Amino acid sequence: MAMPEDDIFTPHATRSRPPFGGAHARGKVIDQDGRELSDGPLHPQFQGFQDGFRFDFRNSSANPFGNLTREERLARLEMIAKLLDVAFVVPGTNVRYGIDGLIGLIPVIGDLITTAISLWLVREARLLGAPWHITARMLANVAVDGVVGMVPVAGDAFDVMFRANIRNVRMLRRWLDKQPRL
């Protein structure tokens, strides 16, 4: 038996409906172990997921960047600056270097990555209330570090010695220490 040509060009209403679009289950809902699930409310632990997943990162303990005090933010900035600039020691010397010097060995891309992280530190300083003149000096340090760091070998040596992130955090710390406590 052949199918009429109408059905080929104009599908039936049942075929044109999306597979799960607004449809309710017609039969019993069975879990993976073969047990029948009731249509009642969800377990209280999963009640919030009934309408879909929602995350509120602004007021959540899951957000590592929110709800930090001024001192906690500054401590985080100092830790990141130390990791970027002075985390390791060249064996047998007193020369310290950080991840900035290592990532900077990757031509162009490494310097762009470390410059982006340094700019994030400047943004955090701005969020802590640093005035424009402090922020401008911090941006100048990042620019010098980024531009000179792009030079293949000499730039990497400059990155190790200049330590723009440590300079920026020290500058921010000095400014914050002069500010009155609230």
Side-chain angles (χ1 to χ4, degrees):
M1 176 174 200
M3 181 183 240
E5 288 185 18
D6 305 4
D7 288 343
I8 295 173
F9 297 114
T10 355
H12 294 295
T14 57
R15 290 187 201 163
S16 65
R17 204 171 5 133
F20 301 105
H24 295 285
R26 295 183 192 152
K28 299 175 183 174
V29 178
I30 308 292
D31 71 357
Q32 65 187 18
D33 296 325
R35 292 184 300 252
E36 183 179 331
L37 298 176
S38 66
D39 288 337
L42 295 174
H43 188 275
Q45 177 182 355
F46 301 106
Q47 196 66 36
F49 298 115
Q50 188 170 353
D51 299 325
F53 292 101
R54 285 191 212 119
F55 297 104
D56 183 16
F57 285 118
R58 294 181 192 271
N59 302 318
S60 172
S61 62
N63 182 5
F65 301 110
N67 300 332
L68 295 178
T69 66
R70 181 182 191 179
E71 288 302 316
E72 289 171 336
R73 280 182 173 215
L74 191 57
R76 181 181 62 193
L77 292 179
E78 287 174 342
M79 180 200 59
I80 292 171
K82 286 178 183 176
L83 180 67
L84 286 170
D85 290 340
V86 293
F88 312 107
V89 178
V90 174
T93 67
N94 272 343
V95 177
R96 299 186 70 83
Y97 66 97
I99 292 177
D100 187 1
L102 293 175
I103 295 174
L105 292 172
I106 302 168
V108 181
I109 295 171
D111 294 309
L112 291 175
I113 291 170
T114 57
T115 301
I117 296 170
S118 297
L119 288 173
W120 179 79
L121 291 174
V122 174
R123 178 187 168 271
E124 283 290 308
R126 190 72 184 140
L127 291 176
L128 283 170
W132 68 270
H133 61 88
I134 298 291
T135 308
R137 288 178 58 196
M138 292 173 81
L139 285 172
N141 285 338
V142 171
V144 167
D145 187 40
V147 170
V148 176
M150 293 230 183
V151 176
V153 175
D156 296 321
F158 180 79
D159 272 345
V160 170
M161 297 306 186
F162 186 63
R163 300 176 181 164
N165 299 304
I166 294 288
R167 288 174 186 250
N168 287 344
V169 171
R170 280 187 188 150
M171 193 181 334
L172 178 65
R173 171 64 89 172
R174 273 188 251 123
W175 178 80
L176 282 172
D177 287 343
K178 293 178 187 176
Q179 303 307 307
R181 298 274 177 198
L182 297 176

